[in-house]
Amino acid sequence: MKKFLLILCSAFLLTGCIAKTPENSVSEVATEEMTETVTEAEEKTEISTENNSVKPTYISNKQKEYPNVMELNLATPNKNDQINKRKTIFFSDNGYFYYTYVGGRDSANYALSFDSGDGKPVPLENCEELHEDFECCFNKETAFYGVKHIFNPSQYEIYKYENGVGKSLSDGLYNYWFTSYFTEKYIYYSTYENKISEFYRMDYNGENKELLFTLDESFYIPDFLVNEDKIYFEWVENDSHKIGVYNMKNHELIILYDGGTGRINGGYMYYISQSSLMRMSLEDYSIEFVCEDVYDFEFCGDTIFLDPSLDSKDSGTLFKLEKGEKQKIFDANEFFGNEYYYDIDNIQYENDRIFIQISSGPYYSYIAELDINGNFIRKVYEHEGT
């Protein structure tokens, strides 16, 4: 069964995601922290006018077998990770936002809606701009940031939506592959055209655009993230999947023969490869095996919550890692009964609670709130597809 909600609601779950995020032109920055953390040196950064093409150094970190992780030693996820992870629910001081269905079975569409806490979500004004064509990454109260996809021809722009009004932060539209990542200080994005990939960043007013580096004769960059002074990106070359690491301080680029982009925690990059959860050391790029049969994962304290891979026999089950072993803490099929087939489309740990998005068929959507042990607390939203 295809997890259709990932396409409609990919911004809510980053990122892993990726979920990843872009934004639009505004007079204020996205968060108070963004303003406070921009240093004087960064404010004086000169915009590059050069091509900044770099030649990579190739490093082999591929092994026939990878050792099993003995201890996770997880740290508190950094702010960039929390900004860019995929989410089911966006929080504000007055309530929450999440996607709901609008219309009947034959005309159902997803709309970003506001719930004041009474369980009665109301679609936002002009919410047609927040359907499949807008990948929302994060919000600051009632302002939402993401990438807007314009169809026919296919183009992209970094976008902000607030109070029923959408604004572009981009200086133009980008076609073909377009990927973005939001940090506290900058909006990073990459473009691909005519076998040339370019990486840029700009501030949250859509100004001070800077070309960071260029990859000539490259293939598309399906995903990337930023950590400290480095950009980690997936690299496709001659039908081979590699990982690039670009150092923004010394402008060095290395290409690894194995690895992946995902989420960073405690000095490791955690990522999914062929339905297995792996992790790569950010120090020496060595790789370890964490767990098999994984579709999605989320950090919580000293453990990781896991969602089984697509069409797994354990589909609809939520696990946590306990001493290297998966322990079941919630089963949607047991919760609802076995009349239908259920998938968990996203796991979000927020405010000491777990929020999971559950689907069954093309129009069924259910959001459940659980405690950290997987005990059911309440139903946030349900659409039965009628």
Side-chain angles (χ1 to χ4, degrees):
M1 176 182 297
K2 294 183 179 180
K3 300 194 174 187
F4 66 100
L5 293 177
L6 292 177
I7 300 174
L8 300 176
C9 198
S10 62
F12 291 163
L13 303 171
L14 276 113
T15 258
C17 33
I18 219 353
K20 320 296 172 175
T21 322
E23 319 199 321
N24 313 340
S25 76
V26 289
S27 58
E28 72 278 3
V29 292
T31 66
E32 295 175 1
E33 291 88 349
M34 291 172 186
T35 302
E36 294 170 354
T37 53
V38 176
T39 66
E40 181 179 354
E42 287 165 337
E43 290 173 347
K44 293 181 179 179
T45 298
E46 294 183 1
I47 300 175
S48 172
T49 57
E50 300 179 357
N51 177 271
N52 283 356
S53 179
V54 294
K55 298 295 183 181
T57 298
Y58 288 81
I59 297 177
S60 177
N61 64 336
K62 194 174 184 63
Q63 297 177 248
K64 291 184 178 180
E65 292 186 14
Y66 294 112
N68 291 351
V69 171
M70 303 306 295
E71 294 184 14
L72 292 175
N73 295 322
L74 296 176
T76 301
N78 60 49
K79 291 183 179 180
N80 292 341
D81 176 84
Q82 296 303 290
I83 289 173
N84 290 276
K85 73 177 184 179
R86 288 192 305 141
K87 296 183 177 181
T88 294
I89 293 182
F90 293 82
F91 289 88
S92 73
D93 288 343
N94 300 316
Y96 359 87
F97 299 86
Y98 49 85
Y99 276 94
T100 65
Y101 276 110
V102 177
R105 173 178 288 272
D106 296 329
S107 61
N109 204 347
Y110 248 16
L112 189 58
S113 303
F114 176 72
D115 184 340
S116 63
D118 59 4
K120 299 178 181 179
V122 178
L124 301 184
E125 182 181 359
N126 295 327
C127 62
E128 66 274 3
E129 292 187 339
L130 302 180
H131 291 168
E132 298 176 51
D133 60 345
F134 179 72
E135 290 189 16
C136 181
C137 182
F138 72 100
N139 71 309
K140 173 61 177 176
E141 289 300 319
T142 58
F144 295 85
Y145 298 84
V147 172
K148 185 175 176 63
H149 185 191
I150 295 95
F151 298 89
N152 297 322
S154 182
Q155 296 177 312
Y156 301 85
E157 60 183 341
I158 296 173
Y159 206 71
K160 176 188 177 183
Y161 176 92
E162 186 175 25
N163 297 326
V165 178
K167 297 180 181 179
S168 174
L169 285 177
S170 306
D171 59 355
L173 302 177
Y174 307 95
N175 58 14
Y176 203 61
W177 283 99
F178 180 89
T179 312
S180 61
Y181 190 85
F182 292 84
T183 71
E184 294 182 85
K185 304 172 185 177
Y186 297 109
I187 303 168
Y188 290 81
Y189 59 97
S190 69
T191 65
Y192 172 80
E193 191 172 7
N194 298 325
K195 293 187 177 181
I196 296 176
S197 292
E198 295 179 326
F199 284 78
Y200 295 88
R201 72 181 180 189
M202 64 182 177
D203 62 29
Y204 275 82
N205 291 317
E207 300 174 352
N208 297 318
K209 176 183 174 182
E210 180 181 4
L211 174 62
L212 299 174
F213 70 101
T214 299
L215 294 173
D216 296 329
E217 296 301 318
S218 76
F219 289 82
Y220 64 90
I221 307 297
D223 197 10
F224 79 93
L225 60 81
V226 179
N227 184 61
E228 296 181 346
D229 297 311
K230 294 181 180 179
I231 298 176
Y232 299 82
F233 61 94
E234 296 188 24
W235 164 280
V236 179
E237 181 183 40
N238 298 327
D239 297 324
S240 178
H241 184 94
K242 300 179 178 67
I243 299 300
V245 184
Y246 177 75
N247 190 316
M248 289 182 281
K249 278 193 171 181
N250 60 23
H251 310 293
E252 291 181 350
L253 171 65
I254 65 172
I255 300 297
L256 305 170
Y257 280 90
D258 203 358
T261 56
R263 297 177 62 183
I264 290 177
N265 188 299
Y268 290 90
M269 175 85 73
Y270 287 80
Y271 64 96
I272 296 173
S273 175
Q274 297 180 345
S275 298
S276 290
L277 180 61
M278 313 290 290
R279 76 175 188 182
M280 180 181 71
S281 168
L282 301 185
E283 183 176 350
D284 61 9
Y285 307 118
S286 60
I287 297 174
E288 296 174 298
F289 171 83
V290 180
C291 187
E292 65 180 358
D293 190 20
V294 178
Y295 172 75
D296 191 19
F297 66 96
E298 169 69 307
F299 301 114
C300 174
D302 60 355
T303 190
I304 296 178
F305 295 119
L306 304 169
D307 173 14
S309 56
L310 184 66
D311 293 330
S312 164
K313 62 181 178 62
D314 292 319
S315 183
T317 304
L318 180 65
F319 294 93
K320 71 174 181 179
L321 275 184
E322 194 74 35
K323 297 181 179 180
E325 299 291 333
K326 291 192 296 186
Q327 303 293 328
K328 183 172 71 173
I329 62 172
F330 179 83
D331 190 334
N333 293 288
E334 293 178 358
F335 180 79
F336 291 108
N338 295 318
E339 185 177 358
Y340 299 103
Y341 181 88
Y342 295 95
D343 283 318
I344 295 178
D345 296 311
N346 186 59
I347 313 166
Q348 177 184 347
Y349 176 67
E350 205 90 20
N351 300 333
D352 297 322
R353 292 288 187 267
I354 308 169
F355 297 89
I356 55 174
Q357 181 99 38
I358 302 170
S359 65
S360 179
Y363 296 112
Y364 182 81
S365 177
Y366 189 100
I367 300 175
E369 179 180 345
L370 314 175
D371 67 19
I372 60 173
N373 296 312
N375 298 310
F376 179 81
I377 296 176
R378 69 184 181 102
K379 176 183 71 177
V380 178
Y381 169 75
E382 182 177 22
H383 183 271
E384 298 182 0
T386 57

